[in-house]
Amino acid sequence: MWPRLVANKILGKRLSNSNNNFVADFPGDAKTCGLLDISSLGQPSLRGNTILNQREDNLHDYNVFVSTWNVGGVAPQENLDIAGLLDTPNNICDIYVFGFQEIVPLRASNVLGSENSKISMKWNSLIREALNKKIQYCLEKQEYNRKQLGIRAQKTSFIEDEKTLLQSSTIPEDFRCIICKQMVGILISVWIRSDLRPYGSVSVRFQLHETSFCFVCSHLASGGREGDEKLRNSDVDEIFSRTSFHRRPSLDLPRNILDHDRVILLGDLNYRVSLPEATTRLLVDRKEWDALLDNDQLRRGLRNGQVFEGWHEGLIKFAPTYKYCLKSNVYSGCAEGQKGGKWRAPAWCDRIIWYGEGLEQHLYTRGESNLSDHRPVKAMFTAEVQVSSTIKGLQKFFLSERFDQITTKSEKTLSDRYLCKSRSGFKF
């Protein structure tokens, strides 16, 4: 990677990458680390108003947004606005992960036939539009805050710390899709700030600096009968034991899901509440979430560790996300005179959980779009990311005037030396 960086800096030209089969805004990044753009090295992470939280132990904190939504086979309309799904208290995150289930009806023609990418492209287009709206809103908010700061500075003594805080709150130019993958009705789409792209590598997972991330979007076995949770547990075992990533010669990434540094599982996990339906509906009406969660199948699995040993879930303080009457805020089976259709007791089917250390959750809630019989769920994390001290040291050198002087004086010599030798002193 570093010889390519040096060549790009000295010769002023990019070296081509090979193509890949994933839908992304960065073609060719799935198999290689890609080029590091010197101009974007050192760009900070958006974390509230302080932008970059860099610590002496070379750990940086990045904000990660994760959402899951079973859309029930309903195709999105062109005017569907999902900006509300992106609402978070700390402005803009660094990484956005969107998981969908049933983006197409689960009938035989869709399962056995070729995948229709038109629907996934529609969802990606809506995501891009929503992220752009988010950026525009933050820019307008930042400009308003600047004006207010100027007014206060004229009326009162100037607060230097407040000025510094505001100036450091840069807004990303845009977000780019680094991977979008569909498998029948399941879709996962990962987006990052465009200035973070030079540090990332993508297959089905990606690496940011020295830390590997893995996001698993799943739709587990359905069913509300006693014992159906065993089918879901079996699905989870299959996913963790049988999923194996291909080795990439340019990347030293794990092959198994649980061997990654940061792992998040999202989706319609379909776990139910193990109570009689009448009792469940009564407790839902009373909003007694704790009593319901004491009998939640996933929570039991997290507690006993039989299937989800080492996994974590944040506090649930929102209503069950399933099953609603379509285009309604009423749970299925609760409306007077309702006939036909499938009645299901309310449950938290849609969940986001994480594995291991290095992730701190700040938000866990649901959205209120009534597009389908599920409500979307979203979460926001701070993720610790290991940054190599070698990168930091070389970064400072390549950005320094000293390096510019060296390249100016001996550009031809260095160019010839780099082009003629197959080995380099920089090895990563």
Side-chain angles (χ1 to χ4, degrees), residues 35 46 57 76 91 108 110 113 129 137 141 150 183 222 225 231 281 290 298 310 339 343 370 376 380 393 405:
L35 293 173
L46 283 172
D57 56 1
N91 296 329
N110 289 328
E129 182 180 343
Y137 168 78
K141 182 179 178 181
M183 185 180 70
S222 62
R225 295 174 298 184
L231 300 176
R281 291 186 184 275
D290 290 342
L298 177 57
K339 295 181 180 180
W343 286 20
N370 61 7
M380 192 176 78
Q405 293 171 359

Side-chain angles (χ1 to χ4, degrees), residues 273-337:
V273 177
S274 295
L275 287 173
E277 182 177 340
T279 305
T280 298
R281 291 186 184 275
L282 179 62
L283 292 173
V284 169
D285 289 341
R286 295 177 177 176
K287 297 184 178 180
E288 296 186 16
W289 308 144
D290 290 342
L292 288 164
L293 288 167
D294 285 341
N295 296 277
D296 179 81
Q297 295 170 350
L298 177 57
R299 281 297 171 99
R300 287 180 175 178
L302 291 169
R303 284 196 297 265
N304 61 38
Q306 291 180 358
V307 180
F308 292 101
E309 183 179 359
W311 287 83
H312 312 278
E313 185 179 31
L315 292 177
I316 293 180
K317 297 182 179 180
F318 51 89
T321 58
Y322 177 82
K323 175 180 173 69
Y324 284 89
C325 299
L326 291 178
K327 301 295 181 180
S328 168
N329 293 322
V330 177
Y331 286 108
S332 175
C334 293
E336 292 186 10

